[in-house]
Amino acid sequence: MQYRSEGLAVANVVLVHGLWVDGSSWRLVARELLDRGHSVTCVQLPLSSLTDDVAVVRRAVAQFDGPVVLAGHSYGGAVISNASHGAEQVSALVYVAAVATRPGESAGAVLEGFAPSEGLGAVVADKQGYLTLDRERFAELFAGDVPPREAEVMAVSQGPAAPACLSEASGEVGWQQLPSWYVLCEQDRTVTPEAQRGIAERIGATVVSVPASHSVAVSQPHTVVDTIEKAVTATV
C-alpha cells in the first residue's frame, strides 16, 4: 500500500453493486476515489447466482497487488461477505445499505428476519422468473433523493436478477475475521433502516448513518468515499 503526500494511504478498492443496478451505480464514488489517488475496479456481476457473482469479485481482487478493500451495496454485501472469506488480500469490508449473510443463510433469509420493506414488495418477475424492481416505483422506493431524470434512467437500466441470488445459501464469510464499516441509510425504503441496524450490529461494523435513500452512492458519494477511506486508514 502506497501513501499520498498528505499522509493518507492509497488503496485498492473493489466496488460491488447490488440487485437492480449495475457497476455504473458506483460511477460517482469511483470518480472521487480515483481523484483521491486510489486504484478502483467496479465489477459487473452477472446476477445469475451468488456463486457466479462471488467468482467475479474474487477474480477482480486477484488483479491487484497488495491489500484490497471490498465495498458492497445491498445484495452486494452478501457477495463481498463470501468473496472475502479466505482471501488474504482483502483487508476490510464496507457495507453500503447492504446485506451480510451468515454461513448457510441466504440473502433473502436475512431480509425475511426483519419487517418487509416497500421496495421488496415492489419486486416483479418476468416470464422466465428473473427479478426487477417495478419501473414505475423505482424512483420513489430505490432512489428517492436522486434527480428524477437520473432515477428514470436507473430504472430502465436494471439488470434482471436470477432468484438464486437471493435464495442460494452463503458459504463461509469474511466479516467474521475482517474489520467492517456500514453506511446506514436512514431514508431507505428498499432495505429498511431497522434491518440495516440489525445487520450492522450482528457483524460488529462501525456504523456511519446518513439521511439518504438506498441509492446513497449516487446521491451522497462523498459519504461513501469517506467511509471507504476510514476503512483504508484503519487497516494500514
Side-chain angles (χ1 to χ4, degrees):
M1 193 170 287
Q2 300 174 322
Y3 291 83
R4 288 179 281 174
S5 58
E6 62 268 36
L8 294 176
V10 173
N12 303 313
V13 183
V14 174
L15 302 172
V16 183
H17 65 84
L19 303 184
W20 312 311
V21 291
D22 61 15
S24 68
S25 63
W26 289 107
R27 62 193 177 279
L28 300 179
V29 170
R31 179 66 270 164
E32 188 164 342
L33 285 169
L34 290 168
D35 289 344
R36 296 189 189 189
H38 302 295
S39 298
V40 182
T41 293
C42 298
V43 300
Q44 297 290 346
L45 300 179
L47 300 179
S48 49
S49 69
L50 178 62
T51 296
D52 292 344
D53 294 337
V54 168
V56 168
V57 174
R58 286 178 172 161
R59 189 161 62 246
V61 169
Q63 303 311 305
F64 288 105
D65 294 323
V68 176
V69 173
L70 290 183
H73 174 241
S74 197
Y75 158 76
V79 179
I80 68 170
S81 295
N82 280 260
S84 58
H85 176 71
E88 294 183 0
Q89 280 180 269
V90 178
S91 60
L93 303 173
V94 178
Y95 292 84
V96 181
V99 173
T101 50
R102 294 187 176 104
E105 180 182 48
S106 69
V110 173
L111 296 173
E112 288 170 2
F114 302 94
S117 71
E118 295 175 272
L120 293 178
V123 173
V124 295
D126 66 15
K127 293 180 180 179
Q128 285 73 46
Y130 282 72
L131 306 174
T132 56
L133 191 62
D134 185 340
R135 289 187 179 189
E136 298 301 318
R137 303 197 66 195
F138 185 95
E140 63 169 307
L141 298 178
F142 197 93
D145 54 357
V146 173
R149 287 170 59 85
E150 186 165 4
E152 185 177 26
V153 172
M154 292 171 67
V156 301
S157 303
Q158 296 180 68
C165 294
L166 292 173
S167 63
E168 184 179 338
S170 173
E172 296 298 318
V173 293
W175 58 258
Q176 293 176 322
Q177 293 82 35
L178 293 167
S180 301
W181 281 257
Y182 198 105
V183 179
L184 193 158
C185 298
E186 298 166 357
Q187 298 170 1
D188 200 324
R189 297 172 66 183
T190 299
V191 177
T192 67
E194 292 73 23
Q196 293 180 47
R197 289 188 189 96
I199 292 166
E201 181 177 352
R202 77 173 182 172
I203 68 174
T206 299
V207 175
V208 176
S209 294
V210 58
S213 75
H214 198 58
S215 296
V216 64
V218 179
S219 65
Q220 299 190 43
H222 301 307
T223 298
V224 178
V225 172
D226 286 346
T227 305
I228 291 171
E229 285 203 326
K230 288 177 182 176
V232 171
T233 301
T235 56
V236 170

